[in-house]
Amino acid sequence: MWKPERNSKKALYEQIADHLEQRISYGEFPPGSLLPSERKLAEQFEVNRSTVISAFAELRSLGIIESRTGSGTRVSTSKWGATPKHTPNWSRFAEGGNFLPNLPFLRRIREALGQDPSLIDFASGELSGDLAPTDEIAALMSRNAYTSYLGYDNPQGFTPLREALVQYLSNYRRIQATESSILITSGSQQSLFLITQCLLSPGDAVAIEDPSYCYSLPMFQSAGLRLFRLPVDNHGIQPEDIRVLYKKHRIKMVFLNPNYQNPTGTVLSVERRKRLLDIICELGLPVVEDDPYSLTSYEGVPPLPLKSMDTTGSILYIGSFSKIAASGLRIGWMVAPRSIVERLTDARQQMDFGLSIIPQQIAAQFLQSSYFGPHLESLRIQLQFKRDLLIESLEKELSGLIEYAAPEGGLHFWCKLIPDIPDAKLLEESIKQGIIFVPGSVYGSDSGYVRFTFARSKPEDIELGIAKFAKAIRRLME
Amino acid sequence: MWKPERNSKKALYEQIADHLEQRISYGEFPPGSLLPSERKLAEQFEVNRSTVISAFAELRSLGIIESRTGSGTRVSTSKWGATPKHTPNWSRFAEGGNFLPNLPFLRRIREALGQDPSLIDFASGELSGDLAPTDEIAALMSRNAYTSYLGYDNPQGFTPLREALVQYLSNYRRIQATESSILITSGSQQSLFLITQCLLSPGDAVAIEDPSYCYSLPMFQSAGLRLFRLPVDNHGIQPEDIRVLYKKHRIKMVFLNPNYQNPTGTVLSVERRKRLLDIICELGLPVVEDDPYSLTSYEGVPPLPLKSMDTTGSILYIGSFSKIAASGLRIGWMVAPRSIVERLTDARQQMDFGLSIIPQQIAAQFLQSSYFGPHLESLRIQLQFKRDLLIESLEKELSGLIEYAAPEGGLHFWCKLIPDIPDAKLLEESIKQGIIFVPGSVYGSDSGYVRFTFARSKPEDIELGIAKFAKAIRRLME
């Protein structure tokens, strides 16, 4: 992102005025559109707010922008001379459309991370660079550079990857599948998007866990779905709650993340799994099982998916490389009945024409390489190490002020704060202190919960981050 | 795709019965679901229909499937013993959802291409392998294997690619942009998907060319948009038609492909461009300009985009690598006002969490490499050669039976058939003869038009393909 040149002979405010004039003339800020606030631009350009105020004054004197008290600074519409020229009302278009924007907390988190790369990141739900198999992937790439035809791929996904996944699913997840029942997606996110857009209709009722990652996704609301909650305790959801929701609201589908649930880290108990399968089978109710975390089991004994026990074909199974290899590959998969695979393949074709073959080829090679097993082994050890470091830091800094159950797998740590601090205040103060996390209410919980992703930070930053977080809490408790 | 082993000691029908039993037991065909027809399976497995009939008989005798006259063959529901177990009604889910399936002709084309890879393909709108820079990309990959962090990328797209595109847009398209006004997408398809989903609301009226690629995309109907047509003649659309549609239907947006339009190959004349820009400016009406083909100009003088003349920020500009480099990279871009870029970035994040960094890095390297210019040069020469070959073959085989205007750029050839043959009959007979194309009605034209994509076939197949097509026509004229 552009920043003014501190060593230039040209004053900072002049550089900023020139830069903004250029972006305005290119159409990035069309006539009539709102410019970012002085505060926001000052943050972006890393200058004092007074410098941005001077730049704005300069542009105002040239007739390029106009400020009105209370309604911000806009690009002039009169600048174009005598003939009135009209620019589309872009901001109205930006506010239009069926599709809802992300939750305000999530947009705030992205904005903060974009503006300050030095923030200690307990928010992004992904692995740190050293946990991802970057060297292994680089080695595979340089050894097997892509040489075959780079055209539109099989719309269901690169066939060798689907074949490799048949082996993977059988060996690691005890799921029997054929390549024709697998759809490759751009991660679990796209699997969920396809299901909510194409298999359900506006007004349909669905059940999700409470708290739940699904709750953080406006895609459910965008599709017009009515969400009902299944409370999660230390052993997951209560299967009987599904029957209650079915009778009361005719729920059409259940979304579950039974292993190291996001955000709570809980594992659905074996006994509840059996009852769950009996109930959904009795009701003829489909379950979407999201299973991104199982192989991170710190003890090395990954819990099996529900799908491995599914004898009636009631479960749509979703998997991904994002949490066990690299989110930047953007590779996920779905195992589903043929009719569903065909429908979703057809729809995805219209949305993005499928995924690039290159990451799919790399993923297939990685799965079949001798790197895969040892990578998982070392990932588990390092995740456990980071979890322990997080707990140690929390106990040191916030003993008595928090409650939690330590997860046995996954990337996240769910934690209740005993002091009564509103989510928004805690998030802003933490950003000020230099750390960022996801407030629990994003996942539908009450205020006062926090999700820390410990996988994303370097070990040395975990202790530091929690110290900063504790400082934010102490400030707000004063 | 699985096929029975011809040299096995096990009979073909037994192999097929075992294979189907396995897929049924894995849940790909759940209890109660419909199996593909005997005819379809016979085609897939490359066996006689009688062999599939024997396999079905075997499975029926085991109680695994049930056939009822007129309603096809289904997986048994009674197989599960005394306790009734219910499987979700998957086919009802597959038929649900807001999102409409692809047009029947397009599904038929995909099915035919999937079943018979020897078909001469005049349907897929992409380059052949020898026209794509496969070797160059392989060289870049092995030289610069990806080594940095493989995490979630900047949701707006890989920054070095956006920076490379700023140069590309300025040098090749005379568009001035900054990296902050560019959104990287999974090709033009995703750009259009984002625009129709997020900037427009159900009931909104939009204008598209007639015929138009947009017409082939049920995404417009899925978003609840009302489509109005702008007829295309040899010089593109008539700008005044936009004013008429605006007055009559309050159209909210116009979708245009001014250079080597898909499917007609026409270029919007310079004089009409000026009037178009005056009119949209007067009406404050936004235009989406899709510009995938310009750089294929056979004479080497690519027509400039409307966007290069857009002084009021009225145009959302869409570009892509699919038609000038490789569709398998799945890289496209949009240049838009900041408010639109922010809105669409946020929405895309929810749909698929962004693109893999790897193909974005490759695209950035390719754009900045010394390969790019010579690649374009050779692409143009070879496309012109293929177009000439197609015209020669058509003149030889179908002289007097067709009408066309030879395109000066692009991958497609649009052609009117003088004999009156229904589209569906012609497509089926052509598939039988071993060639496939897209019927014009897919793009909203009357019956009797054909789109041949000549870029996809090997030169030696163009002559052969047209001979087969002529044979189909002669059969149907008898």
Side-chain angles (χ1 to χ4, degrees):
Chain A
M1 197 173 279
W2 183 87
K3 312 253 181 221
E5 186 64 61
R6 303 227 157 234
N7 302 323
S8 162
K9 274 182 195 159
K10 209 174 192 177
L12 289 177
Y13 85 92
E14 282 183 283
Q15 294 181 52
I16 291 172
D18 286 355
H19 169 75
L20 290 174
E21 186 181 355
Q22 191 184 45
R23 287 168 70 180
I24 289 167
S25 75
Y26 290 176
E28 184 174 343
F29 299 108
S33 71
L34 201 62
L35 289 178
S37 69
E38 291 157 354
R39 182 193 57 78
K40 208 164 161 181
L41 288 175
E43 271 180 34
Q44 265 177 29
F45 299 150
E46 292 172 4
V47 297
N48 290 326
R49 198 171 145 185
S50 61
T51 312
V52 177
I53 290 173
S54 305
F56 274 15
E58 175 80 10
L59 292 170
R60 230 180 343 256
S61 74
L62 295 167
I64 293 171
I65 62 171
E66 293 163 345
S67 306
R68 240 178 266 168
T69 332
S71 76
T73 301
R74 290 182 185 274
V75 178
S76 298
T77 45
S78 54
K79 173 177 169 274
W80 308 98
T83 338
K85 301 234 179 190
H86 298 295
T87 298
N89 190 340
W90 287 115
S91 46
R92 236 191 30 219
F93 282 100
E95 288 154 15
N98 257 340
F99 206 78
L100 298 173
N102 254 312
L103 299 180
F105 274 142
L106 294 179
R107 281 182 283 160
R108 173 67 185 120
I109 290 168
R110 198 162 67 213
E111 181 199 56
L113 285 169
Q115 269 168 22
D116 181 1
S118 75
L119 274 179
I120 293 180
D121 182 0
F122 289 149
S124 305
E126 60 176 351
L127 302 175
S128 55
D130 60 309
L131 295 190
T134 318
D135 294 343
E136 292 89 330
I137 284 174
L140 289 169
M141 273 178 79
S142 55
R143 219 182 294 153
N144 311 307
Y146 195 84
T147 48
S148 45
Y149 177 49
L150 255 179
Y152 294 123
D153 188 28
N154 182 316
Q156 206 179 316
F158 188 53
T159 306
L161 175 57
R162 286 184 288 130
E163 287 166 352
L165 282 168
V166 167
Q167 286 309 312
Y168 164 86
L169 289 165
S170 168
N171 296 344
Y172 287 90
R173 308 275 66 218
R174 291 212 209 137
I175 292 172
Q176 304 304 322
T178 54
E179 50 89 14
S180 50
S181 60
I182 297 174
L183 172 66
I184 307 295
T185 63
S186 174
S188 304
Q189 192 88 3
Q190 192 176 41
S191 298
L192 291 170
F193 181 65
L194 289 167
I195 291 168
T196 55
Q197 289 281 312
C198 307
L199 305 183
L200 295 162
S201 299
D204 279 354
V206 302
I208 62 172
E209 293 154 324
D210 172 18
S212 167
Y213 175 66
C214 292
Y215 188 86
S216 74
L217 303 174
M219 70 164 88
F220 282 78
Q221 283 91 345
S222 297
L225 304 179
R226 292 178 299 140
L227 298 182
F228 295 96
R229 319 273 201 102
L230 302 165
V232 171
D233 66 24
N234 284 342
H235 303 287
I237 61 149
Q238 287 287 0
E240 286 69 25
D241 290 347
I242 292 178
R243 200 199 305 271
V244 173
L245 290 182
Y246 181 80
K247 287 202 173 140
K248 214 163 157 184
H249 304 290
R250 287 283 140 185
I251 51 169
K252 284 264 181 77
M253 208 176 260
V254 180
F255 291 80
L256 297 178
N257 172 196
N259 296 333
Y260 311 125
Q261 199 249 0
N262 181 3
T264 63
T266 51
V267 175
L268 184 64
S269 71
V270 173
E271 183 264 332
R272 290 188 188 179
R273 281 168 199 247
K274 287 185 186 143
R275 278 189 286 142
L276 171 76
L277 288 167
D278 283 346
I279 289 171
I280 61 164
C281 185
E282 179 198 321
L283 303 175
L285 195 59
V287 168
V288 175
E289 179 181 29
D290 190 14
D291 186 32
Y293 303 111
S294 296
L295 296 192
T296 62
S297 162
Y298 311 144
E299 298 299 329
V301 192
L304 287 177
L306 290 174
K307 181 72 183 165
S308 67
M309 301 165 72
D310 173 30
T311 54
T312 54
S314 301
I315 295 179
L316 294 186
Y317 178 82
I318 292 177
S320 165
F321 264 150
S322 295
K323 315 296 180 185
I324 57 168
S327 47
L329 283 171
R330 307 300 315 119
I331 299 282
W333 48 87
M334 204 189 300
V335 181
R338 186 71 201 150
S339 54
I340 301 298
V341 167
E342 281 176 3
R343 168 73 163 120
L344 301 185
T345 298
D346 178 89
R348 203 264 302 274
Q349 193 76 348
Q350 292 182 60
M351 294 173 177
D352 60 19
F353 239 97
L355 305 180
S356 173
I357 305 184
I358 296 171
Q360 294 189 78
Q361 183 192 252
I362 293 169
Q365 288 168 352
F366 181 58
L367 263 181
Q368 293 174 306
S369 74
S370 57
Y371 296 132
F372 188 65
H375 160 72
L376 281 183
E377 198 53 44
S378 112
L379 175 65
R380 284 170 193 156
I381 294 168
Q382 291 180 72
L383 283 175
Q384 186 174 28
F385 173 71
K386 284 188 175 182
R387 178 205 62 175
D388 291 345
L389 210 56
L390 181 77
I391 294 178
E392 213 174 278
S393 309
L394 284 168
E395 288 297 342
K396 185 177 143 206
E397 298 282 349
L398 291 166
S399 178
L401 296 178
I402 51 164
E403 281 174 6
Y404 60 85
E408 296 301 320
L411 285 57
H412 314 295
F413 189 91
W414 182 247
C415 158
K416 182 175 166 44
L417 295 179
I418 295 167
D420 184 20
I421 303 171
D423 275 4
K425 276 200 173 161
L426 181 57
L427 182 64
E428 288 306 324
E429 184 61 35
S430 299
I431 292 172
K432 247 184 230 161
Q433 297 297 334
I435 95 120
I436 198 159
F437 61 89
V438 184
S441 60
V442 163
Y443 307 104
S445 80
D446 294 334
S447 191
Y449 285 83
V450 165
R451 191 193 79 170
F452 292 118
T453 299
F454 50 83
R456 179 69 176 78
S457 295
K458 287 179 240 160
E460 57 271 30
D461 281 348
I462 291 178
E463 201 179 338
L464 187 62
I466 294 302
K468 287 169 185 281
F469 179 73
K471 201 169 158 195
I473 291 201
R474 282 194 298 270
R475 285 219 169 183
L476 293 168
M477 284 174 70
E478 272 163 15
Chain B
M1 197 174 277
W2 183 87
K3 311 252 184 225
E5 186 65 63
R6 302 227 160 235
N7 303 323
S8 163
K9 276 184 194 159
K10 212 175 190 177
L12 289 176
Y13 86 91
E14 282 182 283
Q15 293 181 51
I16 292 172
D18 286 355
H19 170 74
L20 290 174
E21 186 181 357
Q22 192 184 43
R23 287 168 71 180
I24 289 167
S25 75
Y26 291 174
E28 183 174 342
F29 299 107
S33 70
L34 202 62
L35 288 179
S37 69
E38 290 157 355
R39 182 192 56 77
K40 207 163 163 182
L41 289 175
E43 272 181 32
Q44 266 177 30
F45 298 150
E46 292 172 2
V47 296
N48 291 325
R49 197 169 147 189
S50 62
T51 311
V52 178
I53 291 174
S54 305
F56 274 17
E58 176 79 11
L59 292 170
R60 232 182 340 258
S61 75
L62 294 167
I64 293 171
I65 62 171
E66 293 164 345
S67 308
R68 241 178 267 168
T69 332
S71 77
T73 302
R74 292 182 184 273
V75 178
S76 298
T77 45
S78 53
K79 171 175 171 274
W80 307 97
T83 339
K85 302 233 178 189
H86 299 294
T87 297
N89 190 339
W90 287 115
S91 45
R92 234 186 36 217
F93 282 100
E95 287 153 16
N98 257 340
F99 206 77
L100 297 174
N102 255 312
L103 300 181
F105 273 142
L106 294 178
R107 279 182 284 159
R108 174 68 184 120
I109 289 168
R110 197 161 71 214
E111 183 199 56
L113 285 169
Q115 269 167 21
D116 181 1
S118 75
L119 274 179
I120 294 180
D121 182 1
F122 290 149
S124 304
E126 59 175 352
L127 303 175
S128 55
D130 60 310
L131 295 190
T134 318
D135 294 344
E136 292 90 330
I137 284 174
L140 289 168
M141 273 177 78
S142 56
R143 219 182 295 153
N144 313 306
Y146 195 85
T147 48
S148 46
Y149 177 48
L150 253 179
Y152 294 123
D153 187 27
N154 183 317
Q156 208 179 314
F158 189 54
T159 306
L161 175 57
R162 286 184 288 130
E163 286 165 354
L165 282 168
V166 167
Q167 287 309 313
Y168 163 86
L169 288 165
S170 169
N171 296 344
Y172 287 90
R173 309 275 66 220
R174 291 213 210 135
I175 293 172
Q176 304 304 322
T178 54
E179 51 89 14
S180 51
S181 60
I182 297 174
L183 173 65
I184 307 295
T185 63
S186 175
S188 304
Q189 191 89 3
Q190 192 177 42
S191 298
L192 290 170
F193 182 64
L194 289 167
I195 291 168
T196 55
Q197 289 280 310
C198 306
L199 305 184
L200 295 163
S201 299
D204 279 354
V206 303
I208 62 173
E209 292 155 324
D210 172 16
S212 167
Y213 175 65
C214 291
Y215 187 86
S216 73
L217 303 173
M219 67 163 89
F220 282 78
Q221 283 89 342
S222 296
L225 305 179
R226 292 179 298 138
L227 298 183
F228 295 96
R229 319 270 200 104
L230 302 165
V232 171
D233 66 23
N234 284 343
H235 302 287
I237 61 150
Q238 288 287 1
E240 286 68 24
D241 290 347
I242 292 178
R243 201 199 305 272
V244 173
L245 290 182
Y246 182 79
K247 288 204 172 139
K248 214 164 157 185
H249 304 290
R250 288 284 139 185
I251 50 168
K252 283 264 180 76
M253 207 175 261
V254 180
F255 291 81
L256 297 179
N257 173 197
N259 295 333
Y260 311 126
Q261 199 247 2
N262 181 4
T264 63
T266 51
V267 175
L268 184 65
S269 71
V270 173
E271 184 263 333
R272 291 189 188 180
R273 280 166 201 249
K274 286 182 186 146
R275 279 189 286 141
L276 172 77
L277 287 167
D278 283 348
I279 289 171
I280 61 164
C281 187
E282 179 199 323
L283 303 176
L285 195 58
V287 168
V288 175
E289 179 181 30
D290 190 13
D291 185 32
Y293 303 112
S294 296
L295 296 191
T296 61
S297 161
Y298 310 144
E299 298 299 329
V301 192
L304 287 177
L306 290 173
K307 181 72 185 166
S308 66
M309 302 165 72
D310 173 31
T311 53
T312 54
S314 300
I315 295 179
L316 295 186
Y317 177 82
I318 293 177
S320 165
F321 265 150
S322 295
K323 315 296 180 186
I324 57 169
S327 49
L329 283 172
R330 307 301 315 119
I331 300 281
W333 48 87
M334 204 190 303
V335 182
R338 186 72 201 148
S339 55
I340 300 297
V341 167
E342 280 177 3
R343 168 73 163 118
L344 301 185
T345 298
D346 179 89
R348 202 263 303 274
Q349 193 77 348
Q350 293 182 59
M351 294 173 178
D352 59 20
F353 239 98
L355 304 181
S356 174
I357 305 184
I358 296 171
Q360 294 189 77
Q361 183 191 253
I362 293 169
Q365 289 169 352
F366 180 57
L367 263 182
Q368 293 174 306
S369 74
S370 58
Y371 296 132
F372 188 64
H375 161 71
L376 281 183
E377 199 51 47
S378 111
L379 176 64
R380 286 171 191 154
I381 294 168
Q382 291 181 71
L383 283 175
Q384 186 174 25
F385 172 71
K386 284 189 176 183
R387 178 204 62 174
D388 292 344
L389 211 55
L390 181 77
I391 293 177
E392 212 174 280
S393 309
L394 284 168
E395 288 297 344
K396 184 176 144 209
E397 297 282 349
L398 291 166
S399 179
L401 297 178
I402 51 165
E403 281 174 5
Y404 60 86
E408 295 301 321
L411 285 56
H412 314 296
F413 189 91
W414 182 247
C415 161
K416 182 174 165 47
L417 294 179
I418 295 167
D420 184 20
I421 303 172
D423 276 5
K425 275 200 175 161
L426 181 57
L427 182 64
E428 287 307 324
E429 184 60 34
S430 299
I431 292 172
K432 247 185 232 160
Q433 296 298 334
I435 95 120
I436 197 159
F437 62 89
V438 184
S441 59
V442 164
Y443 306 105
S445 79
D446 294 335
S447 192
Y449 285 84
V450 165
R451 191 193 80 171
F452 292 118
T453 299
F454 51 83
R456 178 70 175 78
S457 294
K458 289 179 238 158
E460 58 272 30
D461 281 347
I462 290 178
E463 202 179 337
L464 187 63
I466 293 303
K468 287 169 185 280
F469 178 72
K471 200 167 160 197
I473 290 200
R474 281 193 299 270
R475 285 220 168 184
L476 293 168
M477 283 172 71
E478 272 164 16

